Amino acid sequence: MSARDLIEGEAGVDEEENDESFDEENEGERPPINGANGDMQDSSEEEEDDDDEEAARAIREGFIVDEDEDEPEERERKRRKEKKRRREEREREQEDLDEEDLDLIGEANPAFERRLPSEPKFKRLKRGHKDDQAPIQALDPKDMFSDEDEVDEIREARPDGLGRFRPEPRGLPDEFDDFIEEDDLTDEEEKFRRQEEREIGRARVEGFRTGAVEASGLDGESLETWRDAFGDGEEYRWALDMDEELEEQEQAEQSLELKDVFEPSQLAEKLLTDDDNQIRWNDEPERFQLARKPYKHVVLTDEQFKEEALWISRMMPKKRLSEDLMEPFERAVGKVLEFFVTDEVEVPFVFQHRKDYLIHAAKIAASPDPNNPDAPEYVVSAEKLLNQDDLWNILEYDLKFRALVDKRNSLQKTYDSLAGISNVQDQVFEEMLPMAETIEELQDIQDYLYFQHSSHLKDLSLMNGDVNGTQRRPGSQKTIWERVRNGKVYGLVQAFGISADAIAQNYLREGRRQYTDDPSTLPDDMADSENFLDPPEFVTGAQVLKAAKNMFAEEIAMSPKMRKVMRRTYFQAGLVECFRTERGLRKIDEQHPYYAFKYLRNQQLSDIARQPDMYLKMLKAEEEGLIEVKVRLQRYDHFKQQLRGMMLSDNYSEIADAWNDARKEVLDLALNKLNVVMTKAVKEALKSRCEDEIAANCREEFSKKLDQAPFKPQGMMLGTIPRVLALSCGMGTSKQDAICWAWVEEDGRVLENGKFADLRFDDRAKGHFRELVQRRKPDVIGVSGFTVETKRLVMDIEKIIEDEDLRGAEFEDPDTGDEISKKLEVVIVNDEVARLYQTSDRANVDHPGFAPLTRYCVALAKYLQNPMKEYAALGRDIVSITFHPSQQLVPQEKILKQLETAMVDMVNLCGVDVNEAVGDTYTANLLPYVCGLGPRKATSVLKAINANGGTVSTRDELVGDMEQQKIPVVGPRVWNNCASFLFIEYDSSEPSSDYLDNTRVHPEDYELGRKMAADALELDEEDVKAEIDEAGAGAIVRKLIKDEAQEKVNDLILEEYAEQLERNFNQRKRATLETIRAELQQPYEELRRNFAMLSTDEVFTMLTGETRTSLTPGMIVPVSIKRVMNIERRLEAVLDCGIKGYIPEEEISDNLNSDVNLNHLFTLHTTVQAKLLSLSRTQMEATLSVREDALSKPYRAPTDRMRDEWDELQEERDKDSLQEKNKETGRTQRVIKHPLFRNFNSAQAEEYLGSQGRGDAVIRPSSKGLDHIAITWKVSDNVYQHLDVLELDKDNEFSVGKTLKIGGKYTYSDLDELIVNHVKAMARKVDEMTGHEKYQNGSRAETERWLTTYTEANPKRSVYAFCINPKYPGYFFLCFKAGQHAHLSNWPVKTIPHAFELKNNAYPDMRALCNGFKLMFSNMQSGRR
């Protein structure tokens, strides 16, 4: 094969079908197919051989006794297999004519031509039948990574894909051949045909047995004789049975499951794994199943359940409740737990239908009023104990308690095993385990157990094969502590006179104080005695004493009580401090975001908890090696002195002093160990708490965004969906670029879209806009965009509306009843969802022909119509929206979990029209958040409803209706959760329609609603019975609605209802009765707040990307000069964020003469540094200064710190140190007149480019001297390449060289040429690489895992892919795997201007690179052979 044959149109990994791959084992071997020439082999000689073999086998089986003889079943199986093979060969022999027969036919019929073998008419498509497939040809190495199209072309030139022809059953040519075209049959059709033939064959056998006997005319005796001689055919029944067995085996092979076709990752992504299906069909709320999955085996006893309620009451954030409400609060927590665990209902159900248990109502006697004898005797005082956030917290604490119980049970089980086998009794363990309230305390107990009883645990592990529970397995070798504990040295440890737990007990003042006893001998003398020397390890007294001290210190450090003391002390008096590292000294300058805590000292834990984002940034900086976060104890010396007082002896003598000195030394050793443990524990606990705090803040912010009803059209009631005209100029300007628009009806249909030209000066465009508004009559105009030009577009539209008096749709004036209209409202719409939607796959499916900006307008309109649906449609992409500036520092799953709870709350508050969800995907996106459901159950709900006909008439139908042949949509428990949150629109013309199915009332309370309706209508029992007998159970409510008598329910005294229910049925329903009354009057009333208009700050941030902290007066910012106005004597500039800036004459220079031409000082589009003097966030304009004295004063963010919270002395020392280093290196400040120049270091450049796009660059000073500059450009997210540019032919040391060289290889004449032909050229190559089908968006490890998974699924295939190399910016990995058992390999690919470089060879594009790789690899394989 030539090199040209390898070059193909599109290089890529082969598809999974129709491909063969390289097989080293089969290379060069061609197993014969039916003879050397492809002819069918003659089997007559084989049959004789087979008979001889069968006779020999019979002799062996009959006369040779073998110890390893096969079992009878195995022999029978082999015999049947052998007979089947011989039968198939005989059938082929009978069907096919041999060569001699064909030659005879040819002599008799000269016109006869032998047909070449061809493909059989019935092709087997099913995989797995190796007998029906030709042997796989070993591919040439050059074809190893070829696409399937290329392989197919090769195979088209080879009749069977192997260079040989398949034999075809031979026979006489038929004159009707090819007259009727036969279709290729599918696997199912082929299987049906074969089954039909078998049945026909079986029927023929049966017919032969009956018909032939009847036709013979033999009597019974003769027939019996005939059967004895010839048999009745039953001896061949085994052949038919074997055929049936083969048929069943074939069907079993064909019953493929999803996991046989798709990769596990694909199934997991689509929620189609076996675990997903189990969750889907279990009658339990989906969120409960997922959350409790790790603790399925944990079963709480009644005592533990009571303990849990008290534990959660203590652990929950302290609520401001009076002392007399604490007991009701604990009862409320216990009741909520009962709802969650026993009733298995979710948070929305409890909050909506068990609200009375979240409130404490107390009757207070009223003072008698002589003027009002009918006044009530008492008043009811209601106090809210738990809100909806508390319910989610209780649910989370329930999981934590289960984890606590699980670990505690595991430890108890281990201890019981120790006690049963080794007779271990440990008072400390038995006392501390029941008292442990946190996982950390249990971990302390576990560490203590493994320290104190490690040798017994080893014995236990040897007996059981493993340690019970989840604890780690002790080491097999004896530790130093075991050797000390089991030897003589431990006697010296006991001589210290007090135990570790006694020290802690004394400090905690638990029980009687434990006093320390002094031995009668000095420590050194005692250690030298024979009683404690323990050769060979401890042969001297010094060794013995050191070992004893270390052992005692370790016991103190491992004591659960002592750790409890330390943990409590650290959380009460701990201080957090930051110390910069050598790397952070230079990298964290005054403009760096980490500078806010570079010299931070003496921060109390309570202060840190109030600034969770700052603490997480501190940990991030520590991870980057820039600072070190330390935790220390406030007044540590005082604490240590207190501990010493709890362990030292009170005696006065030389011996007592010696022992006390030894005890002090032991305590110091122990505290050093405990400080390390506690520091880590405190930092981790603080981190978790800060993450939870930020995640909770995200939830709160998301709840605000969700809690807004659709934009309310003028004159309509809240909740009415508006008709919207949405416009945007995108990234352009309202004067120069087209303005896209979209018209969206209230039902979400996009009926029109288009573009406008300039709406400020173009009268024709204004006319088109006026005509559109007058024709469509929108309720509101929504506008948004990506730049500050959007603000100017809004002003242009408002001016047109004012000039043309454009008005919205007419509505009825509530005061006069006349039809009126008001001027159209123009609203700046929050576009955070629209930005994600415009380029999403969902947008491509919804509106395939629309431009991205038009899709953006559609999303703006739909946001105005229902913000909640837009957020729900994002799914997991919701984390792409910023709810907190530091949310990226929190694990994504933690953020998602909190955001999901907010969505669940709001979706269940609003309810979901179940019939609308069946036909509308936007509404269906809400189903996973319905109480009791989830993404898995939501899909099964839709499938089941469609199977039932596509509509739901009543809520009861959701659990199935056998009379109407309706299958269950959900189980009883899930139905109990979701029933009241799935509503069905009431249809008065439909007799089966129930009004209460369209309300928030749960079916369990329907009888209450009907009773209230009957009382409101003043119907007696007979009237009620008559109505129900005539029109069903819902007749009373139907009559209430028909008579429009809903207002009558306001006359009912619900307090008496509630008292009666609680007295007779022990049900607290006061709040539920209020809900029923409200729903009877207005079903599913809109309870969300009005549509929230964006504030000035929110609009400013949306259009500029700047916040009050990122852009504030006093900062020095780069600006680009846009206009030089000599007459007005001022400059007009623009900031990077698009804000216009004005530089008045007095802020240009200190000594600017009035006759100086400003054009001589400033050039258009030049970037200069300017100080921000003032900023109007409403007008988006700024006042700037370029005076030297203003620029000489750097911006310092305002701080509110105490005097001892900042190390100013260290800060000054570091500044002096940096100045000295700058003098030594010769690094000075440079200013280059170029729009991309920034006076940044590498870290600042990376931070600046973080929000920019790929290919964006920064020109900055270089640390290598004045004849170098550095260019940093963004290769990918978090990947930046720093280019060193050598300047030659410089006019002076501060000017830019006329010749610029990069790497000694690339030469450019100026910076613009370098940026375009080097940086941008490489960025285009990176775009080409990342856009290629072989590119993987992941790390090298992830890519190699993908390659491994792919080759495991396709063992004979070879595959390759590209991925980025973040360690070396500008480089990529070419990862490949030549088959399942081949090694993973990778080659580096370098991006260079206009090309890719692989092994010193340049390739102009990805196609050439892929082909070059294949050629290179094939040549290497050929060289090895």
Side-chain angles (χ1 to χ4, degrees), residues 876-1098:
R876 292 181 64 89
D877 291 339
I878 189 68
V879 292
S880 301
I881 295 176
T882 300
F883 301 102
H884 190 280
S886 301
Q887 74 181 56
Q888 73 278 2
L889 300 174
V890 182
Q892 193 177 92
E893 289 303 319
K894 197 171 268 191
I895 297 289
L896 273 173
K897 188 174 183 179
Q898 288 289 339
L899 298 182
E900 183 186 19
T901 62
M903 181 65 78
V904 169
D905 288 346
M906 198 54 58
V907 168
N908 289 282
L909 176 70
C910 301
V912 177
D913 187 337
V914 65
N915 288 315
E916 183 182 342
V918 175
D920 179 34
T921 56
Y922 266 79
T923 306
N925 290 328
L926 301 176
L927 281 179
Y929 304 101
V930 171
C931 181
L933 303 183
R936 299 161 185 81
K937 288 187 180 294
T939 55
S940 65
V941 163
L942 293 176
K943 288 181 181 178
I945 293 176
N946 283 318
N948 286 338
T951 57
V952 179
S953 302
T954 65
R955 283 171 172 168
D956 290 340
E957 274 188 20
L958 295 173
V959 287
D961 189 339
M962 300 305 295
E963 294 181 0
Q964 299 183 20
Q965 297 183 343
K966 302 281 188 179
I967 64 173
V969 175
V970 292
R973 283 182 180 169
V974 175
W975 178 84
N976 187 48
N977 274 273
C978 69
S980 62
F981 306 107
L982 297 175
F983 64 85
I984 299 154
E985 190 173 346
Y986 174 64
D987 184 0
S988 59
S989 63
E990 182 62 42
S992 63
S993 183
D994 193 332
Y995 178 85
L996 293 177
D997 283 343
N998 191 34
T999 66
R1000 291 184 172 91
V1001 181
H1002 195 278
E1004 69 178 10
D1005 297 321
Y1006 277 9
E1007 288 304 318
L1008 290 177
R1010 291 161 183 162
K1011 175 72 167 61
M1012 290 173 62
D1015 290 348
L1017 293 172
E1018 300 180 355
L1019 300 177
D1020 56 25
E1021 292 185 4
E1022 294 181 358
D1023 296 334
V1024 171
K1025 186 176 184 306
E1027 290 286 346
I1028 292 176
D1029 291 342
E1030 180 181 352
I1036 304 301
V1037 178
R1038 182 185 290 267
K1039 178 176 175 59
L1040 182 76
I1041 304 306
K1042 184 178 180 182
D1043 295 347
E1044 297 183 355
Q1046 297 98 313
E1047 294 292 332
K1048 291 183 178 181
V1049 296
N1050 291 326
D1051 300 332
L1052 299 176
I1053 303 175
L1054 299 183
E1055 194 62 45
E1056 295 180 1
Y1057 277 73
E1059 290 180 358
Q1060 185 178 359
L1061 286 171
E1062 188 167 5
R1063 184 171 57 251
N1064 297 337
F1065 303 101
N1066 196 27
Q1067 294 181 353
R1068 297 168 65 177
K1069 293 283 187 180
R1070 180 66 180 84
T1072 301
L1073 293 173
E1074 288 289 352
T1075 300
I1076 295 173
R1077 174 154 62 184
E1079 291 297 312
L1080 287 174
Q1081 297 178 75
Q1082 180 62 48
Y1084 260 105
E1085 180 184 5
E1086 181 61 74
L1087 299 180
R1088 289 174 290 182
R1089 295 186 175 91
N1090 285 331
F1091 186 85
M1093 301 297 180
L1094 293 178
S1095 65
T1096 300
D1097 280 358
E1098 289 172 332

Side-chain angles (χ1 to χ4, degrees), residues 534-586:
D534 196 1
E537 292 180 305
F538 309 107
V539 295
T540 66
Q543 291 177 335
V544 170
L545 186 59
K546 182 179 180 182
K549 289 178 180 178
N550 286 328
M551 181 69 187
F552 192 23
E554 191 70 17
E555 285 186 344
I556 294 174
M558 286 294 179
S559 167
K561 283 188 179 180
M562 183 57 72
R563 288 193 177 188
K564 185 176 181 180
V565 169
M566 294 294 293
R567 185 174 282 107
R568 189 178 72 173
T569 307
Y570 260 90
F571 278 102
Q572 289 177 349
L575 295 175
V576 177
E577 297 181 325
C578 292
F579 297 88
R580 56 99 186 132
T581 63
E582 284 301 319
R583 184 163 176 250
L585 170 63
R586 181 178 290 277

Side-chain angles (χ1 to χ4, degrees), residues 650-775:
D650 295 333
N651 299 325
Y652 294 95
S653 67
E654 182 183 356
I655 295 176
D657 291 343
W659 278 103
N660 281 340
D661 290 340
R663 292 181 188 114
K664 291 178 184 178
E665 187 179 345
V666 167
L667 184 61
D668 291 341
L669 288 172
L671 287 179
N672 288 338
K673 296 182 179 186
L674 284 169
N675 285 333
V676 173
V677 175
M678 289 302 114
T679 297
K680 182 178 180 182
V682 169
K683 288 172 68 174
E684 287 299 321
L686 268 180
K687 178 183 179 183
S688 179
R689 182 175 174 180
C690 290
E691 288 176 349
D692 292 341
E693 184 69 22
I694 290 180
N697 291 340
C698 291
R699 181 188 189 279
E700 184 180 355
E701 188 64 27
F702 189 36
S703 296
K704 292 178 183 177
K705 293 176 183 291
L706 292 173
D707 190 14
Q708 49 179 337
F711 180 87
K712 179 180 171 295
Q714 294 175 354
M716 300 295 179
M717 64 184 300
L718 188 64
T720 305
I721 306 296
R723 295 171 297 175
V724 184
L725 175 64
L727 302 93
S728 177
C729 58
M731 292 293 295
T733 63
S734 58
K735 294 186 296 183
Q736 300 175 0
D737 298 287
I739 301 167
C740 290
W741 61 270
W743 166 260
V744 182
E745 284 283 350
E746 59 263 34
D747 58 2
R749 291 177 300 144
V750 183
L751 299 185
E752 273 190 272
N753 69 89
K755 294 181 180 180
F756 291 127
D758 178 22
L759 289 179
R760 183 176 302 176
F761 302 110
D762 191 338
D763 292 336
R764 185 178 177 185
K766 291 180 182 179
H768 290 161
F769 176 79
R770 180 182 63 250
E771 184 273 332
L772 175 64
V773 171
Q774 292 174 344
R775 176 165 51 87

Side-chain angles (χ1 to χ4, degrees), residues 201-366:
R202 189 174 291 110
R204 287 174 179 170
V205 172
E206 296 293 335
F208 172 77
R209 293 172 184 166
T210 56
V213 170
E214 291 175 359
S216 66
L218 298 176
D219 56 10
E221 185 176 346
S222 302
L223 184 61
E224 189 68 24
T225 304
W226 179 77
R227 283 177 175 168
D228 290 339
F230 299 100
D232 58 357
E234 284 296 323
E235 59 269 31
Y236 299 105
R237 168 66 68 178
W238 64 270
L240 295 176
D241 292 341
M242 183 176 290
D243 282 347
E244 290 177 357
E245 291 175 6
L246 290 173
E247 174 76 13
E248 292 173 0
Q249 182 180 355
E250 214 170 69
Q251 289 177 354
E253 291 176 357
Q254 286 182 347
S255 61
L256 294 175
E257 297 183 7
L258 288 174
K259 61 185 178 183
D260 300 325
V261 179
F262 297 100
E263 294 183 13
S265 59
Q266 293 175 305
L267 293 177
E269 182 183 355
K270 299 296 182 182
L271 304 179
L272 294 173
T273 64
D274 292 340
D275 288 343
D276 292 322
N277 291 330
Q278 189 67 35
I279 293 171
R280 190 173 280 114
W281 300 119
N282 280 352
D283 187 21
E284 182 183 351
E286 182 171 325
R287 277 174 284 274
F288 278 7
Q289 294 187 60
L290 292 172
R292 294 172 179 171
K293 186 177 180 180
Y295 315 113
K296 275 186 176 181
H297 58 286
V298 179
V299 180
L300 301 181
T301 64
D302 292 340
E303 288 299 320
Q304 288 174 334
F305 193 79
K306 294 176 182 177
E307 178 193 354
E308 180 180 7
L310 295 175
W311 182 83
I312 292 177
S313 300
R314 291 194 301 270
M315 289 295 171
M316 284 185 67
K318 300 300 180 185
K319 300 178 72 68
R320 295 181 179 178
L321 298 175
S322 59
E323 193 66 30
D324 58 329
L325 290 178
M326 292 309 299
E327 185 178 347
F329 174 75
E330 292 177 0
R331 287 201 303 269
V333 171
K335 200 65 182 176
V336 169
L337 273 176
E338 182 183 333
F339 296 143
F340 288 157
V341 178
T342 306
D343 299 345
E344 291 190 335
V345 291
E346 283 202 272
V347 169
F349 181 95
V350 175
F351 187 73
Q352 182 68 31
H353 305 300
R354 300 291 184 265
K355 195 173 293 184
D356 295 88
Y357 295 93
L358 313 180
I359 301 171
H360 176 66
K363 292 182 179 180
I364 302 175

Side-chain angles (χ1 to χ4, degrees), residues 338-479:
E338 182 183 333
F339 296 143
F340 288 157
V341 178
T342 306
D343 299 345
E344 291 190 335
V345 291
E346 283 202 272
V347 169
F349 181 95
V350 175
F351 187 73
Q352 182 68 31
H353 305 300
R354 300 291 184 265
K355 195 173 293 184
D356 295 88
Y357 295 93
L358 313 180
I359 301 171
H360 176 66
K363 292 182 179 180
I364 302 175
S367 302
D369 186 359
N371 299 324
N372 185 11
D374 297 330
E377 299 178 358
Y378 58 86
V379 293
V380 177
S381 172
E383 188 78 26
K384 195 171 186 178
L385 300 175
L386 297 170
N387 56 33
Q388 202 159 5
D389 290 349
D390 294 329
L391 298 183
W392 287 111
N393 288 334
I394 292 173
L395 191 60
E396 187 65 25
Y397 278 115
D398 175 52
L399 299 178
K400 291 181 179 179
F401 185 79
R402 289 170 183 268
L404 186 78
V405 170
D406 186 26
K407 191 173 184 68
R408 190 168 65 189
N409 291 344
S410 180
L411 283 172
Q412 185 65 54
K413 186 176 180 181
T414 302
Y415 180 73
D416 292 342
S417 300
L418 286 175
I421 295 174
S422 305
N423 296 322
V424 170
Q425 287 188 343
D426 193 310
Q427 186 179 353
V428 173
F429 181 90
E430 293 174 359
E431 178 187 350
M432 296 298 295
L433 186 65
M435 296 170 55
E437 291 191 336
T438 64
I439 289 290
E440 291 78 15
E441 291 180 5
L442 285 177
Q443 186 63 44
D444 293 341
I445 296 173
Q446 175 183 315
D447 293 342
Y448 166 80
L449 186 68
Y450 275 84
F451 167 73
Q452 199 71 23
H453 305 287
S454 56
S455 59
H456 297 301
L457 285 168
K458 289 174 189 174
D459 298 338
L460 180 63
S461 65
L462 290 175
M463 294 181 65
N464 296 341
D466 199 354
V467 180
N468 292 325
T470 59
Q471 289 81 18
R472 63 182 184 274
R473 182 172 180 172
S476 58
Q477 299 296 326
K478 280 192 175 183
T479 63

Side-chain angles (χ1 to χ4, degrees), residues 820-839:
I820 61 173
S821 63
K822 292 185 179 180
K823 285 185 180 179
L824 270 174
E825 288 188 70
V826 181
V827 177
I828 298 180
V829 187
N830 187 339
D831 71 340
E832 57 191 10
V833 177
R835 293 190 186 212
L836 297 174
Y837 176 79
Q838 61 175 338
T839 56

